[in-house]
Amino acid sequence: KKVAEKFITLLNSYDKMVIVNMNNIKSKQIQDIRKHLRKSSEIVVGKKSFLSYLLKSNKVEMSKWVSVKDCLSNNIGLIFTNSNLKLLNETFKQYFLTSFVSAGETAQKNIIIKKGIKNLSPSQTPFFQALGIPTRISKSSIEIIEDILLVSKNNVLNKSQEVLLKKLDIKPHKYGIKIKKIFSSKGEIDLRILCMNNKTLTINSNILLKEFLKYPINNELTYTMWRNYNILSCSSLMNKIVASFY
């Protein structure tokens, strides 16, 4: 009962719910992000089954969030927030951690070995030769002669590649909280809001203004207009423009 009351309080206290991917996230990352966001947001981890149950219970308090229930699967966390979504996403990026790769993992990007002198003994030259990496001895160390594309994006790494990257102290992968879905009490918010800048906001502002001009000015917006407003509401310029119609 206490958990249910907490969820209802969160949904009534915050105007947005952000669903995030929690794969490979360290507990220290979550603690640091919690500390950073403690005045504006609340992070809930490991309660998705209970929230799904509440959403299916048809409680009046939960009815406006019912569209969330189809997204409560896999390893996710819930962020309840009133923060600017773009700033929230930038905060998550600040706490990404680099990591070594393991054999069998899929490369998140092209992994390139940069040419130059490496802090490795010349006795390890045969290992590089076995991988087809051209080297020479320089200043009593191994020097890789040219940049090498070790693994292409989305390809699976093998054991030799894992060992090489560890020898070179290369951590090519990054792990952190990634936003999957954003919801408000009005419905789902388009993730493109996270990529908006002044240029895209200007373009979309013109589109929104044209939409406003199609309708009589009154105290209520249609669902479509609310959705567009939510997508663009991070812009103070858009707030001023929308306010000018009332």
Side-chain angles (χ1 to χ4, degrees):
K1 185 178 179 180
K2 289 183 179 180
V3 178
E5 290 174 351
K6 180 181 178 180
F7 266 119
I8 292 172
T9 299
L10 288 173
L11 292 170
N12 288 331
S13 301
Y14 295 96
D15 56 19
K16 292 181 286 288
M17 181 199 298
V18 180
I19 297 177
V20 295
N21 189 326
M22 301 293 286
N23 289 334
N24 301 305
I25 306 301
K26 308 294 184 184
S27 58
K28 180 66 165 57
Q29 284 174 283
I30 298 174
Q31 290 171 10
D32 289 342
I33 293 171
R34 266 205 176 103
K35 186 175 180 180
H36 190 117
L37 298 175
R38 62 187 171 189
K39 293 182 180 180
S40 62
S41 308
E42 184 152 350
I43 302 175
V44 177
V45 179
K47 301 293 184 182
K48 63 182 182 182
S49 297
F50 192 82
L51 178 57
S52 180
Y53 165 76
L54 283 181
L55 291 170
K56 292 175 182 177
S57 67
N58 295 319
K59 289 181 177 290
V60 176
E61 301 95 328
M62 312 297 287
S63 59
K64 61 184 179 181
W65 296 96
V66 70
S67 56
V68 174
K69 67 180 181 181
D70 295 329
C71 304
L72 300 177
S73 60
N74 301 319
N75 189 16
I76 62 164
L78 305 171
I79 315 290
F80 296 90
T81 185
N82 292 324
S83 296
N84 178 295
L85 294 170
K86 192 173 176 64
L87 294 179
L88 182 69
N89 194 42
E90 292 301 318
T91 299
F92 293 155
K93 289 179 180 180
Q94 291 177 31
Y95 292 95
F96 270 55
L97 298 177
T98 57
S99 171
F100 286 117
V101 294
S102 301
E105 285 188 43
T106 301
Q108 296 177 356
K109 60 180 181 179
N110 289 343
I111 300 177
I112 297 172
I113 307 297
K114 297 289 186 180
K115 65 181 179 181
I117 297 174
K118 309 301 176 182
N119 189 27
L120 293 171
S121 166
S123 63
Q124 299 192 51
T125 299
F127 178 75
F128 286 85
Q129 291 175 336
L131 290 174
I133 298 175
T135 62
R136 63 186 173 204
I137 307 302
S138 180
K139 299 179 180 180
S140 300
S141 296
I142 291 176
E143 180 182 358
I144 296 176
I145 299 171
E146 60 187 40
D147 291 348
I148 300 295
L149 175 60
L150 183 67
V151 188
S152 296
K153 182 179 179 179
N154 296 327
N155 284 356
V156 177
L157 289 100
N158 60 39
K159 189 64 180 177
S160 296
Q161 292 164 339
E162 174 193 346
V163 173
L164 173 62
L165 290 169
K166 287 181 178 177
K167 283 180 181 291
L168 297 174
D169 195 30
I170 295 174
K171 299 178 179 180
H173 285 184
K174 290 184 177 182
Y175 295 105
I177 290 179
K178 296 179 182 177
I179 295 177
K180 291 180 64 176
K181 296 279 186 180
I182 305 169
F183 291 91
S184 75
S185 58
K186 304 294 186 296
E188 186 174 351
I189 299 176
D190 198 313
L191 289 180
R192 285 176 293 181
I193 191 174
L194 303 176
C195 303
M196 283 186 172
N197 52 37
N198 289 338
K199 182 178 179 180
T200 55
L201 279 171
T202 301
I203 292 170
N204 284 286
S205 297
N206 292 332
I207 295 172
L208 182 58
L209 283 172
K210 289 177 182 178
E211 288 295 314
F212 267 108
L213 293 173
K214 290 180 183 178
Y215 299 93
I217 305 305
N218 52 47
N219 291 328
E220 293 187 12
L221 297 174
T222 62
Y223 172 77
T224 302
M225 295 306 299
W226 262 117
R227 192 165 184 272
N228 287 336
Y229 172 74
N230 278 325
I231 292 170
L232 294 167
S233 62
C234 66
S235 165
S236 60
L237 170 63
M238 282 310 304
N239 287 336
K240 290 176 183 178
I241 291 173
V242 171
S244 70
F245 281 86
Y246 294 91

